Amino acid sequence: MSVEIVDIQGALWSYRRRLPAYARQGCRPDVPGRRRMGETHPGLVLRGEASSQRATFLELFLDLVFVFALTRVSQRLIADFTSDERILLSEAGQTLVLFLALWLIWATTAWITSTLEPEALAVQVVVVMTVAGSMVMAVALPQGFGDRGLVFAGAYVIVQLGRTLFFLVATRGRPIPADPAAVLRVLFWAGLTAVPWIVGGVVGEGPVRGVLWSLAVTVDYVALALGWPTPRLGRARHADQPIAGEHLAERYQQFLLIALGESIFVIGITFSGGGGAFHLDRTAGFGVALLTTVLLWRIYFYRAGHVLPDAIIQARDPARLGLSAAYTHLIMIAGIVLTGVGYELFITRPLGSKPSAWLFAILGGPALFLAGRMGFEFQVFGRVSRSRVAGLVLLGAAVPLVLDLPALAVAGTAVGLLVGVALADLWRSQGRAPEPPAPPI
């Protein structure tokens, strides 16, 4: 009989461990932030050990919105590069501001679902709010510095302020027991930067909007990096925040794949939309673009991109590493998007004369990706591969040599250097055990 009782207790304990964290709150009165039996504490539910590390279907649904959003960023950049070269810098800078706002929305949402239980109703409502607001921002983005500026800024502010206020209302002003001021800090900074966002949307087209929005998005990023320091409330200590490292790493990997998928979309639409036969020069451009995308995928996932989940879990400060990875992924994704713009340019007009500004996309995109990948590699391994440094230096050194070459030849130069980086990775891995992550943070 005693053996049967032990077996039953073991089975119940095994079943309980499979339950999501929010379903086990009543059973863990000793853990901060969890409800005791009979209590009705409305606070947000922190992730538990048994919480699934996989992205939820709702999070993947959010990613679909950002697939569309990246196509709008890409198409706006293509329009920038095919316009008057004298205003390219200004136009591209505007697109960068819009892209930074979108990425911040996605990155903070990934952070929310990596620290709070994603199956909790309050968190799901916030993700749905983000889906709606991000879709409005994406639709307004092509004219974000035109007549839809207030729509873009309004959607951004509503997402940032709205979901923070919702957390306060849903939890009756008592959000996270372990850090009651967390939501208030975010609310303070979101309200502070809402002013230049809205004013910039109201003032109309012109440099004033650019200045105000550049200031606002810079403050948003700095506040996030510093833990939203707030008068009398202090700032959040990222080291004290629980983080689902595997989940957060997977979210970064998924978004980078979204960016690669968007570039494949550009390749396909550009090549298939040319009409007529598959001319040799355009077909060569198609092949170069596809090979470049494969190489970007290979360079990212070897090895740092592959072991990122283990790196965050093993880090001395997992939350800090997870937050810093958001910035390196931002750089890599921007490089992928810019590289995709180059695809459109050299597939459409592979031969003949080209504006010199096209080099910023065709060579600058891969260079930006390698720069971000170097920083990312340091975050995971505490070192940087010489092949990536050499690739970045050679991309810069190639600029004066290819000024008078057709766009397809410039793209061939870039893909040749990326092939060299990938081959160096392959050579270094021969006969060696896979390198384990060694994050310096």
Side-chain angles (χ1 to χ4, degrees):
M1 176 68 72
S2 60
V3 174
E4 293 178 356
I5 293 175
V6 171
D7 290 343
I8 292 173
Q9 290 176 337
L12 288 174
W13 175 250
S14 177
Y15 171 75
R16 178 176 166 274
R17 286 181 60 84
R18 293 188 179 94
L19 291 176
Y22 67 89
R24 297 187 285 112
Q25 291 172 346
C27 303
R28 298 287 299 276
D30 56 317
V31 179
R34 301 283 176 82
R35 290 201 301 267
R36 296 179 181 177
M37 189 68 70
E39 288 186 350
T40 59
H41 190 283
L44 299 175
V45 183
L46 297 177
R47 272 183 172 269
E49 294 180 1
S51 178
S52 174
Q53 295 287 313
R54 304 303 300 272
T56 65
F57 290 117
L58 184 56
E59 292 175 273
L60 298 177
F61 182 63
L62 171 67
D63 289 349
L64 296 179
V65 174
F66 281 87
V67 171
F68 171 71
L70 285 183
T71 65
R72 298 303 88 201
V73 173
S74 178
Q75 290 303 310
R76 198 180 195 282
L77 275 174
I78 290 170
D80 295 341
F81 276 90
T82 53
S83 62
D84 192 333
E85 284 194 59
R86 292 172 297 179
I87 62 172
L88 172 62
L89 186 61
S90 174
E91 293 290 330
Q94 293 174 359
T95 305
L96 175 62
V97 169
L98 302 175
F99 169 70
L100 289 175
L102 279 168
W103 170 255
L104 188 61
I105 292 291
W106 184 91
T108 51
T109 306
W111 186 267
I112 289 171
T113 56
S114 294
T115 55
L116 303 178
E117 176 55 56
E119 297 291 350
L121 179 59
V123 177
Q124 291 182 336
V125 171
V126 163
V127 175
V128 171
M129 292 171 60
T130 306
V131 167
S134 301
M135 189 64 186
V136 174
M137 291 171 63
V139 170
L141 188 144
Q143 295 297 322
F145 273 82
D147 55 6
R148 292 183 180 175
L150 185 57
V151 175
F152 183 91
Y156 177 84
V157 169
I158 288 173
V159 170
Q160 293 287 68
L161 280 175
R163 59 190 187 180
T164 309
L165 288 170
F166 173 79
F167 273 149
L168 283 176
V169 173
T171 59
R172 304 175 204 168
R174 298 158 61 194
I176 302 176
D179 186 7
V183 178
L184 294 176
R185 294 190 198 96
V186 178
L187 183 63
F188 172 83
W189 284 98
L192 188 66
T193 60
V195 176
W197 277 111
I198 297 300
V199 172
V202 172
V203 295
E205 304 175 33
V208 176
R209 176 179 294 177
V211 171
L212 288 173
W213 284 7
S214 298
L215 174 64
V217 78
T218 300
V219 171
D220 281 332
Y221 272 85
V222 172
L224 171 63
L226 297 180
W228 299 284
T230 306
R232 304 187 67 178
L233 297 178
R235 67 176 185 173
R237 290 173 51 87
H238 295 303
D240 297 336
Q241 297 180 7
I243 187 76
E246 185 179 344
H247 174 271
L248 185 61
E250 183 180 276
R251 296 300 289 139
Y252 290 146
Q253 294 167 340
Q254 288 166 347
F255 200 95
L256 190 128
L257 287 173
I258 287 173
L260 290 173
E262 190 277 332
S263 65
I264 290 176
F265 179 82
V266 171
I267 296 171
I269 291 296
T270 305
F271 186 56
S272 63
F278 288 170
H279 298 291
L280 181 60
D281 54 352
R282 286 172 52 84
T283 303
F286 170 79
V288 168
L290 194 57
L291 178 58
T292 302
T293 304
V294 172
L295 289 169
L296 295 179
W297 166 82
R298 167 68 182 177
I299 292 170
Y300 171 77
F301 279 102
Y302 181 88
R303 280 256 301 153
H306 183 70
V307 300
L308 176 60
D310 294 333
I312 294 180
I313 293 172
Q314 297 174 17
R316 295 191 302 271
D317 190 342
R320 184 181 171 193
L321 177 57
L323 181 62
S324 63
Y327 292 88
T328 51
H329 278 76
L330 167 64
I331 298 171
M332 287 186 286
I333 290 166
I336 291 172
V337 172
L338 190 57
T339 302
V341 172
Y343 297 162
E344 167 85 16
L345 302 177
F346 68 74
I347 292 177
T348 303
R349 194 164 65 178
L351 303 177
S353 61
K354 69 178 186 316
S356 58
W358 286 16
L359 296 179
F360 286 104
I362 302 174
L363 293 180
L368 190 60
F369 172 82
L370 285 179
R373 183 59 175 74
M374 288 164 55
F376 176 53
E377 187 172 43
F378 181 80
Q379 291 170 339
V380 174
F381 294 114
R383 53 128 187 106
V384 177
S385 299
R386 287 175 292 182
S387 61
R388 282 157 179 70
V389 177
L392 182 60
V393 171
L394 291 174
L395 281 169
V399 172
L401 303 177
V402 299
L403 280 174
D404 297 327
L405 296 180
L408 182 58
V410 178
T413 302
V415 77
L417 293 174
L418 291 177
V419 167
V421 173
L423 288 177
D425 289 340
L426 185 62
W427 176 81
R428 189 170 58 250
S429 65
Q430 293 298 316
R432 299 181 182 180
E435 182 180 6
I441 298 177

